[in-house]
Amino acid sequence: MNSVGNLDVPDTLSWVDEERDVSCWLGNNMQREAFNKLYSVADRLRIVDDPRINQDWDYLQASNNFRFMTTKPSNVGLDRGIYSTPFDAFTNYMNILGDFITRVNNLYPLSIENDELEPLLNTIRNQGDEIEKKDKAIIRLQAKIDKMQKEEDKLKAKLEKIKGDAPVKKTTRRKKAETKEE
């Protein structure tokens, strides 16, 4: 079917609670503090491309982390996961988030501004690519050297065999020549 017109939705919608808004995830001070603290490192993480950090970032953004912290009364049975209270969920989440932010800051210190960090990381990535190319070239050249060394060893062996056989042949020829002269 074709559209019959535009629908104006000025606020975020959700499937949770009677209000059908985001108050279940960001409705109290604990949730907003956790959310703001999490997204305080978002710009830095967009610059950085570290698979382990990105995976943990994804886990920390899971909506249940914030839903477990809700203090909003609900007619629907609220599953708090392993937490007894929203305060337990908040405390645990903030401890984990603090460890995560420490990891990020240890890898990418705050003394380096985001504007400086991006070109620096690009340089490091480019150097890593260069090193990888050179390592492959070294392996390839080492294989050539090994092949040439084997061929040289074969030629030396042939040469030694020829040198070793040569006196015997000369001696035999001399004996034949001496026999003819007599």
Side-chain angles (χ1 to χ4, degrees):
M1 301 187 100
N2 293 330
S3 173
V4 293
N6 292 332
L7 180 61
D8 184 27
V9 183
D11 297 316
T12 307
L13 298 175
S14 83
W15 55 271
V16 178
D17 293 334
E18 293 175 13
E19 290 84 9
R20 304 287 189 233
D21 59 10
V22 295
S23 62
C24 185
W25 296 283
L26 297 173
N28 65 42
N29 288 336
M30 291 184 300
Q31 292 167 312
R32 286 189 297 278
E33 181 181 343
F35 183 84
N36 291 335
K37 183 100 171 156
L38 173 65
Y39 281 92
S40 70
V41 294
D43 289 339
R44 213 158 195 56
L45 292 173
R46 284 187 194 100
I47 295 169
V48 175
D49 190 22
D50 183 311
R52 293 210 38 154
I53 294 286
N54 288 340
Q55 181 181 28
D56 291 345
W57 169 251
D58 289 343
Y59 291 151
L60 286 166
Q61 293 180 87
S63 64
N64 277 347
N65 292 323
F66 299 96
R67 187 153 189 257
F68 293 155
M69 296 178 215
T70 190
T71 54
K72 190 174 177 182
S74 175
N75 293 334
V76 180
L78 177 63
D79 176 23
R80 289 201 186 279
I82 62 171
Y83 306 108
S84 303
T85 68
F87 306 105
D88 291 342
F90 174 74
T91 302
N92 191 52
Y93 183 81
M94 292 305 279
N95 286 332
I96 293 168
L97 182 57
D99 290 345
F100 174 75
I101 290 173
T102 299
R103 279 177 48 216
V104 171
N105 291 338
N106 286 341
L107 287 172
Y108 312 103
L110 289 173
S111 60
I112 302 172
E113 296 293 327
N114 287 351
D115 296 344
E116 297 173 89
L117 183 60
E118 188 167 15
L120 182 63
L121 289 173
N122 283 336
T123 301
I124 292 169
R125 283 186 203 108
N126 291 340
Q127 288 175 344
D129 293 344
E130 284 289 319
I131 290 170
E132 187 177 329
K133 286 178 187 175
K134 289 182 180 182
D135 285 345
K136 287 179 182 177
I138 289 169
I139 291 169
R140 192 180 70 250
L141 291 172
Q142 187 63 48
K144 280 185 177 181
I145 289 171
D146 292 344
K147 184 178 177 182
M148 291 171 73
Q149 187 67 45
K150 286 179 185 176
E151 288 179 23
E152 181 183 353
D153 291 344
K154 285 180 186 178
L155 289 173
K156 281 182 181 178
K158 277 186 180 179
L159 183 63
E160 294 212 4
K161 185 177 178 185
I162 291 170
K163 283 182 181 178
D165 289 347
V168 173
K169 290 180 182 177
K170 286 181 184 176
T171 307
T172 309
R173 288 182 192 158
R174 282 185 195 154
K175 285 183 181 177
K176 287 181 182 176
E178 289 174 3
T179 311
K180 286 181 184 178
E181 289 176 6
E182 293 176 1

